[in-house]
Amino acid sequence: MIELTDIDHVGIAVSDLDEAIATYERLLGVAPTHRERVEDQGVEEVLFAVGSSSIQLLGALGPETPVGRSLEKRGPGVHHVAYRVDDVAAALEHLRTEGARLVDDSPRSGSRNTLIAFVHPVAMEGVLVELVQER
Amino acid sequence: MIELTDIDHVGIAVSDLDEAIATYERLLGVAPTHRERVEDQGVEEVLFAVGSSSIQLLGALGPETPVGRSLEKRGPGVHHVAYRVDDVAAALEHLRTEGARLVDDSPRSGSRNTLIAFVHPVAMEGVLVELVQER
């Protein structure tokens, strides 16, 4: 089993990051808790805390990035759902055993000094899933 | 402000509910915590607990339902994101004041004896948002 301990965040692809931040700030009445440019994922992310989870707004660093291509194809909206796990490597091993299609064969560094891996949407009912391990 | 206290659930539209349940049970290694037919929304929902939130698998009760049309148009995947609030009516009032486009003008009954309202995707960066108040 994967043992998901929480929803870490819901990742939302947005066309204009600053405009999206302004919208969420205005509607939620709170400021973002984190902003980070993640070069190897081709995104800039901004987090709004919601309980023990976060809303993650994702701006693409260019059109030829995963989020850039998603925006081109589907427009803004939910890009992925991230679940927190205690051990990403063990979770990947379990998924591999179950024959689930993976995007990442092994854990890699994510934002906020986390360890992450993505699972292919075909494995989980059309949802791109990210597994997040805090360290 | 809306004051979101937690992510209540991520709603995932699936083509075959029983098959999706089997997939999630197998990968997550846990059984669903709730199953309910919600006639007025045209769905059957199944919840898997994840920390203080849930994954909600949504099967359409027919093609001419919101989830049925979503499946026809976009296939399976994230259908909406639900945030917990203490007072849905107050949240709607705030959103109305901010000019946000709503799906529901006033709170209505949801599954699990909750009070809910949907906010239009154009208001929140392409994400259909559900507000959930426990009672």
Side-chain angles (χ1 to χ4, degrees), chain A residues 2 24 26-27 94 98 124, chain B residues 2 24 26-27 98 124:
Chain A
I2 314 186
Y24 271 71
R26 187 168 52 83
L27 296 183
H94 168 72
E98 291 290 345
M124 301 200 77
Chain B
I2 314 188
Y24 271 70
R26 187 168 53 83
L27 296 182
E98 291 291 344
M124 302 200 75

Side-chain angles (χ1 to χ4, degrees), chain A residues 12-89:
Chain A
I12 301 167
V14 304
S15 306
D16 182 321
L17 187 56
D18 288 321
E19 197 177 286
I21 294 167
T23 298
Y24 271 71
E25 277 193 329
R26 187 168 52 83
L27 296 183
L28 306 186
V30 292
T33 50
H34 184 78
R35 182 168 187 153
E36 183 173 347
R37 208 174 149 95
V38 192
E39 296 288 347
D40 71 321
Q41 290 180 45
V43 294
E44 185 162 7
E45 69 165 48
V46 167
L47 299 178
F48 287 86
V50 176
S52 55
S53 307
S54 296
I55 295 169
Q56 181 189 60
L57 301 181
L58 289 168
L61 295 182
E64 291 307 314
T65 58
V67 171
R69 283 188 289 268
S70 173
L71 284 165
E72 175 68 28
K73 203 169 155 187
R74 287 179 289 267
V78 176
H79 178 261
H80 67 269
V81 179
Y83 301 110
R84 221 170 281 148
V85 295
D86 289 333
D87 186 339
V88 172

